[in-house]
Amino acid sequence: RKMELTSESIAKAQSALKFRTQVFIDNKFVPAHSGETFVTENPATGKPLADIAAGDTADVNDAVVSARKAFDSGVWSECAPADRKGVLQQWCNLIEANRLELTLLESLEAGKPVTETFNGDIPETAKCIRWFAEAVDKLTDHITATDPSVVSLVRRQPVGVVGAILPWNYSALMFAWKVGPALACGNSMVIKPAQQTSLATLRLAELAAEAGLPAGVLNVVPGLGVTAGQALARHMDVDMVTFTGSTAVGRLLLGYAGESNLKRVTLELGGKSPQVVFPSVLDEDGVLEKVAEHCANAAFWNMSENCSCGSRLIVHSSVKDRLVSLIQKQLDDEWKLGDPLDPSVRIGSMIEKQHLDKVLRYIEEGKKSGARLVRGGSRVLEQSGGYFVEPTIFDGVTNDMSIAQEEIFGPVLAVITFETEEEAIKIANDTKYGLAASMYSLNIKQVHRVSSRIKAGIVSVNCFSEGDNTAPFGGWKHSGSGGGRDKSIWAFEQYTHLKSTWINLDI
């Protein structure tokens, strides 16, 4: 349900904010063993927000011991699914009741526009967990068709202790994508939030305890990737690690699993998603304007810090000029850039100075490569101390340029033209990534042909969308590994073991 925010209500809520900054183990906040902390900052101002406990190997071990104890006790893992559902639903009620607080924690740490977070990320977090809670007591096991003298049972049982390493771009929602199915089917968890965004995750865990989740079932260890993240991935008593983030870190996690206990690893990684626009969108009045709106959303939503960002606009030459002009008009009319706590803002800051510099380097590479800069290209609002980049569009891009091949994770749209359907498909697939794609066509035969040939885990047609909670999310090629999927009924599979039980009745 959309609600209107005002500057006054935001300021009042912000003045009452309390930051949870310690490690969360056994339903209690405790300091890190080392006593070390790290600074989390507001990227819209460049100023510190809080000192967060820097968990390391010792803290991860405590969390894993707590999670294993809870799992082996059966206090959660052996609960009736309907009982687990009740606790998770109460947790969702508390998330909804604390919606504005969670919104501000997320927006302050990530530079995300408060209106989008309040009406999107936080209610979707509760909605996702609630979906899995509601689904879990509807799942059924199987009996295979075999000889009458045998009963052959096929069951799914929880994996055990699951480690989840979260990204910074959607810290609350990615938390929900992981904990929703993993907890619903009975696992215990240790969460390592991104270094840049720990505050909302810690508060969500506290609300879970308040809802009645037993001690040890959900633990959160903030810290650096090279310490806490690596310790979690290498731990010999962690049965599985699920990760959303960069392909480079995903490779490391696969190595850590191989060097430790061969734990299950599922990875949702980067993307360089194509938006393919065919000339049939010109056949009906008003369609191109709607396409432009979706293309702008795909390219610039969440400051383009989005793994499914449609950063390559692959458009037929007869459509290109009008479409690019309409996208620019969209940005002028609808996409205000500025303070994320301003309810009218739709584009906030980059996550940190290091990432800002990376995005600006790619913009300079785009200029040097011969692409034509038609909009943006600069850092703005420097006087705020924050890390803002204006929406940037390059025309005349060829698909071999770095701005068309490499994941920038910032507001840079590369426009590439094509003449034939075959050429469009070739360009769309000419990337090491395969997470998402969108296509626009009023020709239903073309829709079926092209959507089936694009090598991506998610293809949206005549819209930009990742689907709702019923649709699995995950990628091909360098965009994913381990066969797992977030969201949907298929997500349960990655957090469970398949067991066959063969019962001889003839004895």
Side-chain angles (χ1 to χ4, degrees):
R1 182 169 59 93
K2 287 194 174 183
M3 296 173 61
E4 292 298 323
L5 288 173
T6 65
S7 297
E8 292 76 17
S9 65
I10 292 168
K12 181 179 178 181
Q14 187 178 1
S15 69
L17 274 184
K18 175 185 175 183
F19 295 149
R20 281 76 175 168
T21 60
Q22 294 182 308
V23 178
F24 188 79
I25 299 175
D26 243 0
N27 281 4
K28 299 185 295 288
F29 285 108
V30 295
H33 276 282
S34 68
E36 297 292 321
T37 62
F38 62 90
V39 175
T40 185
E41 70 174 2
N42 180 348
T45 65
K47 296 178 180 178
L49 280 171
D51 294 320
I52 307 292
D56 58 18
T57 301
D59 305 289
V60 167
N61 188 64
D62 284 354
V64 173
V65 168
S66 174
R68 176 60 64 192
K69 180 180 177 182
F71 183 79
D72 288 349
S73 75
V75 66
W76 183 254
S77 58
E78 295 179 12
C79 266
D83 293 336
R84 292 198 296 267
K85 175 174 73 173
V87 173
L88 295 176
Q89 288 180 329
Q90 176 58 21
W91 185 20
C92 293
N93 294 339
L94 293 174
I95 293 171
E96 291 164 347
N98 292 273
R99 177 178 174 184
L100 183 52
E101 177 194 4
L102 291 165
T103 292
L104 291 176
L105 294 175
E106 182 94 338
S107 292
L108 284 168
E109 266 198 310
K112 296 165 72 80
V114 67
T115 298
E116 305 292 356
T117 307
F118 185 74
N119 287 317
D121 295 41
I122 302 307
E124 286 297 321
T125 294
K127 187 176 180 181
C128 175
I129 296 171
R130 196 182 296 281
W131 191 92
F132 284 107
E134 187 60 47
V136 73
D137 65 350
K138 315 299 187 297
L139 302 177
T140 57
D141 292 325
H142 301 277
I143 297 177
T144 66
T146 188
D147 190 277
S149 65
V150 170
V151 175
S152 174
L153 304 177
V154 181
R155 295 180 286 172
R156 285 202 169 270
Q157 295 181 310
V159 166
V161 175
V162 176
I165 301 176
L166 305 180
W168 46 256
N169 58 332
Y170 290 98
S171 65
L173 190 54
M174 294 304 99
F175 173 89
W177 283 18
K178 308 299 186 186
V179 304
L183 292 184
C185 58
N187 295 288
S188 294
M189 299 191 76
V190 178
I191 309 293
K192 209 297 282 185
Q195 174 188 344
Q196 299 87 343
T197 52
S198 302
L199 295 175
T201 306
L202 289 165
R203 179 61 173 139
L204 285 164
E206 184 180 39
L207 291 174
E210 185 179 334
L213 196 68
V217 174
L218 179 63
N219 308 276
V220 179
V221 182
L224 308 186
V226 294
T227 51
Q230 183 173 175
L232 185 60
R234 287 186 180 276
H235 202 288
M236 295 297 290
D237 206 24
V238 171
D239 300 298
M240 172 186 174
V241 167
T242 176
F243 170 71
T244 294
S246 72
T247 301
V249 173
R251 290 181 185 277
L252 291 175
L253 297 178
L254 288 173
Y256 299 154
E259 293 163 6
S260 56
N261 61 342
L262 290 175
K263 58 179 62 66
R264 181 183 297 182
V265 178
T266 61
L267 306 174
E268 192 272 282
L269 306 173
K272 195 66 182 176
S273 301
Q275 305 188 69
V276 186
V277 183
F278 290 96
S280 61
V281 297
L282 299 175
D283 292 350
E284 295 183 15
D285 291 342
V287 169
L288 193 60
E289 287 76 9
K290 294 177 182 177
V291 171
E293 181 178 352
H294 282 283
C295 288
N297 275 329
F300 300 112
W301 185 269
N302 202 53
M303 297 74 69
S304 310
E305 294 172 334
N306 182 9
C307 54
S308 60
C309 169
S311 55
R312 292 187 297 149
L313 180 60
I314 302 168
V315 55
H316 192 268
S317 59
S318 66
V319 181
K320 189 258 294 182
D321 288 344
R322 284 181 60 188
L323 180 57
V324 171
S325 178
L326 286 169
I327 291 172
Q328 294 199 69
K329 186 175 188 305
Q330 275 280 323
L331 292 172
D332 290 336
D333 295 346
E334 305 289 341
W335 292 77
K336 179 181 177 181
L337 182 150
D339 179 3
L341 298 188
D342 177 345
S344 66
V345 161
R346 290 190 68 185
I347 301 179
S349 66
M350 299 287 94
I351 186 67
E352 60 185 357
K353 178 63 163 56
Q354 181 180 358
H355 188 59
L356 167 75
D357 292 341
K358 171 191 167 184
V359 173
L360 293 175
R361 282 197 303 272
Y362 273 111
I363 291 173
E364 289 306 308
E365 286 183 25
K367 294 175 183 176
K368 292 175 183 177
S369 68
R372 183 168 63 89
L373 181 66
V374 297
R375 182 188 182 91
S378 300
R379 180 181 181 180
V380 292
L381 301 181
E382 289 192 56
Q383 71 279 6
S384 69
Y387 313 127
F388 296 89
V389 177
E390 57 186 336
T392 298
I393 301 176
F394 281 101
D395 196 1
V397 177
T398 57
N399 204 53
D400 58 348
M401 294 179 181
S402 63
I403 59 171
Q405 284 294 316
E406 298 176 24
E407 186 177 40
I408 300 172
F409 229 61
V412 180
L413 177 62
V415 181
I416 305 167
T417 57
F418 70 89
E419 299 298 334
T420 68
E421 179 181 302
E422 194 64 31
E423 182 187 7
I425 295 169
K426 182 179 179 181
I427 295 170
N429 288 334
D430 182 18
T431 170
K432 64 185 177 182
Y433 297 108
L435 181 58
S438 54
M439 64 167 292
Y440 299 86
S441 172
L442 301 184
N443 182 329
I444 190 63
K445 292 182 179 180
Q446 185 174 62
V447 164
H448 281 282
R449 283 197 307 270
V450 175
S451 63
S452 68
R453 293 183 61 193
I454 290 178
K455 296 176 181 178
I458 308 105
V459 180
S460 57
V461 177
N462 294 333
C463 65
F464 167 65
S465 178
E466 296 171 354
D468 62 12
N469 287 315
T470 67
F473 183 91
W476 299 5
K477 299 192 283 187
H478 288 203
S479 292
S481 177
R485 288 293 185 267
D486 289 318
K487 302 193 304 169
S488 82
I489 209 75
W490 285 273
F492 284 115
E493 295 183 5
Q494 63 189 327
Y495 298 109
T496 54
H497 285 307
L498 197 63
K499 175 182 282 186
S500 297
T501 304
W502 186 265
I503 304 172
N504 179 18
L505 302 178
D506 190 18
I507 191 169

